[in-house]
C-alpha cells in the first residue's frame, strides 16, 4: 500500500485524468499478454510529456517506490508485469510523432506511438519503418525498444536495435539523458545499444529517433508447400547458401496452418509445411532472385508454388502468418507462445526433438518460425487448464534444447519475468554479475522494473533499497562504476 498522499501528489503533477487508483481500473494493468502472471499495481500513471515522466520518477525515487514502464501491454514475457506495490508508468498518452525528416530518413516519436503508425505516416512519400512485429498494429515503439523487437522482415533489415539512432531516457532517479543522436553513428560507447533490449530496467525512453527506410522498388511474395517441415527448412538453407537474403522467410507447420486457415481463410494449400518467402529490392534483381528461389524450393521438394500477383493476395498470404499466434486460440483455449533461437541449420533436428517431446508429454505443439533467423515460436497447446504445469515444463525443455544446440532462450519476446530462471542455462554466474553492473550503475536502488530479466539478487539486489556490494566487489575482483 502506498501512502495516501502519494496519489494526491501525482494528481498535482499529472492532473486527475493522469492517475488511476480504482481497483477495477487497476486490474486492466495487472498483466501483459502473458496472462498467467498477474499483480495489481498500487497505482497507474499516464504522463503526457518527458517532464511529467521525470516528475513521477523523481517522486518514486524519493519514496523508494518501484515503478514499471508500460507501452501497449502486448509483451509475451511478463516485462510489463507490475511488481508488488509498484507504480505503473504507462505511455498511452505519449502518442505523438514529433518530427519527420525524410531527406535524412529519420523520425522522432514519443514512446506510446504504435509501430504501424510510423509507416502509415511516411508511406505516401515512399518510406517505411522496417521492424515489423506481428503485433505492429497495437504495440508501441517504447515497448519495441525495450524488447528489441523483431518481425518477419528483420532477416534482411535487422532488429529494432538497427533502427534506433538515439533517445531521451529518464533514469531511475528522474534525471534525463540523451543518448545516441540523429546520425547513424556517434562516438563513444553504443549507449542506445545497451538500452535497446534492456526490457525497461534501465530507464524510460520518452523520445526516440528512428531510422526510416526507402520502400523497395519491387516486392514479390512466394508461398511454397511441402510434405515435411524438414524440406521447408532445407529450402531456406539452400536459398541462403545461394547468396540470397530474402526480406522474409517464414515457416508454419500443419497445426499452425490449420489454425491460421480457420481464423483468416487465407486459402493456403493443403500441406504439412508452408514456406513464405518475400524478396524485395531493385526490380531486375527481384525477378532473377524469384526464378532462383522457385527452383531451389522445387529442388528441396516443394509440391506447390504460388506467387502473389496482387497486393491483396500478398496481404492475405501475410495475414495468415501474422495472425497465427492468436489463431491458435481456435484449436486450443490455452497455449504457451514460446520463443527460442537455434542455428538455422539445426532446424530439422530441433523440430524432430520437439515432436518427440510433444508426444512424450501428450501435448500438441504448433510451430511458427522466422526460419531465416532460426527464431522458433513453438506454441504449446494445453486445452485442459490443469495441464498448465506440464505445458510449462515442455515449453522449458524446448528452450533448453535450443540452448544445447548453440541457440538462445529468446529471439524477440524478451526474458521479462517469465524466463529469468532460464538465464543461468545460458550464462555463468560471473556473466550475470557483469550484466548487473550495468543495471546497478544506472539504477542502484533497483526501482526501475525490479525483478525482471535476472534470476537472483546479484549486485544491488532485486528488492528496492540501498545498494549492497556484491561478493565479487568485496573480494576486490570487480568494481562498481
Ligand atoms: C499476437 C502477438 C504477436 C507478437 N508478435 C511479435 C513479433 O513478431 N515480434 C516481436 O518481437 N514481438 C512480438 N510480440 C510481442 C510484443 O508485441 C512485443 O514485445 C512488443 O514490442 C511489446 O510492445 P508493447 O508496447 O506492448 O510493450 P509492453 O508489453 O507494454 O512492455 C514491454 C516491455 O517494454 C518496457 N517498456 C515499455 N515502454 C517503455 C519505455 N517507453 N521505456 C522503457 N521501457 C519500456 C516494459 O517495461 C516491458 O518490459 C507479439 C505479441 C503478440 C500479443
Amino acid at each position: 500500500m502506498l501512502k495516501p498522499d502519494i496519489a494526491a501528489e501525482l494528481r498535482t503533477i499529472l492532473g486527475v485524468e493522469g492517475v488511476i487508483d480504482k481497483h477495477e481500473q487497476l486490474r486492466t494493468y495487472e498483466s501483459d499478454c502473458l496472462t498467467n502472471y498477474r499483480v495489481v499495481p498500487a497505482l497507474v500513471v499516464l504522463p503526457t510529456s518527458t517532464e511529467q515522466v521525470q516528475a513521477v520518477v523523481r517522486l518514486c525515487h524519493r519514496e523508494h517506490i518501484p515503478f514499471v514502464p508500460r507501452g501497449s501491454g502486448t509483451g509475451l514475457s511478463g516485462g510489463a508485469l507490475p511488481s508488488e506495490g509498484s507504480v505503473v508508468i504507462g505511455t498511452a498518452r505519449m502518442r505523438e510523432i514529433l518530427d519527420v525528416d525524410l531527406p535524412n530518413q529519420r523520425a522522432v516519436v514519443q514512446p506510446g506511438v504504435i509501430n504501424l503508425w510510423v509507416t502509415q505516416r511516411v508511406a505516401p512519400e515512399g518510406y517505411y519503418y522496417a521492424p515489423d512485429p506481428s503485433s505492429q498494429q497495437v504495440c508501441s515503439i517504447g515497448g519495441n525498444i525495450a524488447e528489441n523487437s523483431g518481425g518477419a522482415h528483420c532477416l534482411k533489415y535487422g532488429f529494432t536495435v538497427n533502427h534506433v539512432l538515439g533517445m531521451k531516457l529518464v533514469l531511475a532517479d528522474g534525471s534525463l539523458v540523451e543518448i545516441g543522436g540523429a546520425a547513424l553513428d556517434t562516438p563513444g560507447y553504443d549507449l542506445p545499444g545497451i538500452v535497446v533490449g534492456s526490457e525497461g530496467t534501465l530507464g524510460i525512453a520518452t523520445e526516440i529517433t528512428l531510422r526510416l527506410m526507402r520502400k523497395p522498388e519491387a516486392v514479390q511474395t512466394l508461398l511454397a508447400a511441402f510434405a515435411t517441415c524438414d524440406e521447408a527448412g532445407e529450402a531456406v538453407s539452400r536459398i541462403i547458401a545461394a547468396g540470397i537474403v530474402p526480406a522474409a522467410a517464414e515457416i508454419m507447420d500443419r497445426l499452425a496452418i490449420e489454425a491460421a486457415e480457420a481464423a483468416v481463410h487465407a486459402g493456403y494449400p493443403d500441406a504439412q509445411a508452408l514456406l513464405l518467402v518475400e524478396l524485395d529490392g531493385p526490380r531486375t534483381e527481384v525477378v532473377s532472385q524469384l526464378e532462383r528461389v522457385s527452383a531451389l524450393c522445387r529442388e528441396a521438394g516443394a509440391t506447390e508454388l504460388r506467387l502473389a500477383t496482387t497486393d491483396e493476395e500478398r496481404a492475405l498470404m501475410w495475414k495468415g502468418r501474422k495472425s497465427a499466434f492468436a489463431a491458435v486460440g481456435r484449436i486450443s483455449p490455452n497455449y504457451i507462445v514460446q520463443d527460442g533461437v537455434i542455428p538455422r541449420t539445426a532446424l530439422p533436428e530441433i523440430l524432430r526433438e520437439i515432436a518427440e517431446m510433444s508426444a512424450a508429454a501428450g501435448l500438441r505443439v504448433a510451430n511458427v518460425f522466422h526460419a531465416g533467423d532460426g527464431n522458433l515460436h513453438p506454441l504449446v497447446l494445453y486445452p485442459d487448464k490443469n495441464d498448465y504445469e506440464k505445458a510449462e515444463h515442455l515449453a522449458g525443455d524446448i528452450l533448453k534444447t535450443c540452448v544445447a544446440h548453440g541457440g538462445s532462450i529468446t529471439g524477440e519476446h524478451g526474458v521479462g519475468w517469465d524466463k529469468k530462471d532460464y538465464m543461468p542455462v545460458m550464462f555463468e554466474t560471473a556473466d550475470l554479475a557483469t550484466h548487473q553492473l550495468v543495471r546497478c550503475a544506472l539504477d542502484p536502488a533497483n526501482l526501475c522494473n525490479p525483478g525482471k530479466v535476472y534470476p537472483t539478487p546479484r549486485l544491488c539486489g532485486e528488492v528496492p533499497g540501498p545498494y549492497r556490494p556484491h561478493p565479487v566487489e568485496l573480494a576486490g575482483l570487480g568494481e562498481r562504476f
Side-chain angles (χ1 to χ4, degrees):
M1 283 287 284
L2 297 182
K3 290 190 274 177
D5 53 345
I6 298 286
E9 190 174 342
L10 285 167
R11 277 194 192 94
T12 61
I13 299 169
L14 304 164
V16 179
E17 64 288 356
V19 180
I20 295 172
D21 61 357
K22 294 205 172 44
H23 183 77
E24 61 277 17
Q25 289 177 324
L26 290 172
R27 288 206 58 193
T28 305
Y29 299 87
E30 67 185 1
S31 76
D32 58 9
C33 278
L34 188 67
T35 52
N36 283 327
Y37 302 110
R38 293 167 197 243
V39 176
V40 178
L43 279 178
V44 173
V45 295
L46 301 172
T48 55
S49 66
T50 297
E51 293 72 25
Q52 287 192 350
V53 174
Q54 282 187 271
V56 171
V57 173
R58 265 191 226 113
L59 187 156
C60 290
H61 187 253
R62 188 191 76 206
E63 299 291 331
H64 287 284
I65 301 167
F67 58 91
V68 178
R70 182 182 174 104
S72 302
T74 67
L76 290 167
S77 57
L81 176 75
S83 39
E84 291 289 346
S86 63
V87 170
V88 167
I89 304 180
T91 59
R93 294 202 303 161
M94 298 180 76
R95 291 194 156 169
E96 258 184 77
I97 297 180
L98 301 168
D99 185 38
V100 174
D101 176 1
L102 290 180
N104 291 303
Q105 294 189 222
R106 57 200 184 212
V108 180
V109 304
Q110 286 193 307
V113 165
I114 301 302
N115 173 300
L116 193 59
W117 294 356
V118 182
T119 293
Q120 284 171 342
R121 171 73 174 270
V122 297
E125 271 79 39
Y127 292 85
Y128 73 112
Y129 176 60
D132 61 339
S134 302
S135 51
Q136 69 184 142
Q137 296 184 19
V138 280
C139 64
S140 72
I141 294 292
N144 292 175
I145 281 177
E147 300 291 357
N148 187 20
S149 290
H153 292 83
C154 292
L155 169 61
K156 183 167 179 182
Y157 294 106
F159 284 67
T160 299
V161 70
N162 304 111
H163 299 270
V164 172
L165 298 172
M167 72 185 83
K168 286 187 180 172
L169 185 73
V170 175
L171 299 179
D173 61 358
S175 57
L176 182 69
V177 291
E178 290 192 37
I179 57 176
L184 276 180
D185 194 16
T186 44
Y189 297 122
D190 178 12
L191 297 176
I194 291 177
V195 174
V196 176
S198 62
E199 304 193 28
T201 61
L202 299 183
I204 303 186
T206 58
E207 250 183 61
I208 304 122
T209 306
L210 302 174
R211 192 175 153 209
L212 301 172
M213 309 278 291
R214 261 275 185 210
K215 271 206 242 170
E217 188 190 1
V219 180
Q220 290 285 5
T221 308
L222 183 73
L223 190 67
F226 293 89
T228 64
C229 273
D230 280 16
E231 289 175 353
E234 175 60 24
V236 175
S237 292
R238 287 183 190 214
I239 293 166
I240 309 262
I244 298 168
V245 183
E250 302 283 306
I251 295 180
M252 289 191 284
D253 75 359
R254 174 88 202 174
L255 208 48
I257 300 166
E258 274 173 25
E261 196 54 43
V264 306
H265 311 294
Y268 286 148
D270 184 20
Q272 293 302 316
L274 285 181
L275 168 64
L276 199 54
V277 183
E278 192 151 280
L279 299 162
D280 70 7
R283 196 170 305 282
T284 43
E285 184 182 302
V286 171
V287 169
S288 95
Q289 284 187 346
L290 182 63
E291 222 171 90
R292 186 88 186 95
V293 166
S294 304
L296 290 166
C297 285
R298 276 193 214 94
E299 284 167 25
T303 51
E304 184 178 341
L305 291 180
R306 274 190 206 171
L307 185 66
T309 52
T310 61
D311 284 349
E312 290 70 35
E313 275 181 29
R314 176 175 172 241
L316 194 57
M317 281 181 184
W318 273 113
K319 196 172 175 192
R321 163 61 189 92
K322 293 214 171 190
S323 313
F325 287 179
V328 165
R330 294 193 174 244
I331 51 175
S332 171
N334 312 303
Y335 57 98
I336 294 173
V337 179
Q338 191 51 288
D339 168 43
V341 182
I342 50 152
R344 193 173 42 236
T345 46
L347 194 59
E349 207 177 328
I350 301 264
L351 288 178
R352 270 192 295 277
E353 285 177 41
I354 292 178
E356 280 163 22
M357 287 189 274
S358 152
L363 296 175
R364 293 192 300 169
V365 176
N367 286 292
V368 178
F369 33 99
H370 305 305
D373 311 308
N375 185 186
L376 307 183
H377 291 310
L379 299 135
V380 180
L381 318 188
Y382 60 106
D384 180 350
K385 263 194 191 160
N386 297 321
D387 282 336
Y388 170 64
E389 275 179 25
K390 217 196 306 178
E392 267 283 306
H393 203 267
L394 173 56
D397 282 349
I398 292 174
L399 282 191
K400 288 179 192 156
T401 306
C402 291
V403 175
H405 282 272
S408 159
I409 60 169
T410 172
E412 54 184 17
H413 296 169
V415 177
W417 178 263
D418 185 40
K419 290 189 181 171
K420 58 184 188 159
D421 291 339
Y422 291 97
M423 287 289 269
V425 178
M426 278 192 77
F427 297 104
E428 299 291 341
T429 307
D431 298 327
L432 292 171
T434 306
H435 286 203
Q436 291 268 28
L437 282 169
V438 178
R439 183 174 186 163
C440 294
L442 294 175
D443 178 18
N446 197 26
L447 293 173
C448 188
N449 211 4
K452 306 292 167 58
V453 187
Y454 293 98
T456 47
R458 294 287 165 198
L459 290 161
C460 50
E462 286 294 310
V463 286
Y467 172 75
R468 286 182 275 144
H470 186 268
V472 171
E473 289 179 279
L474 293 174
L477 299 172
E479 63 184 41
R480 190 175 169 223
F481 290 100

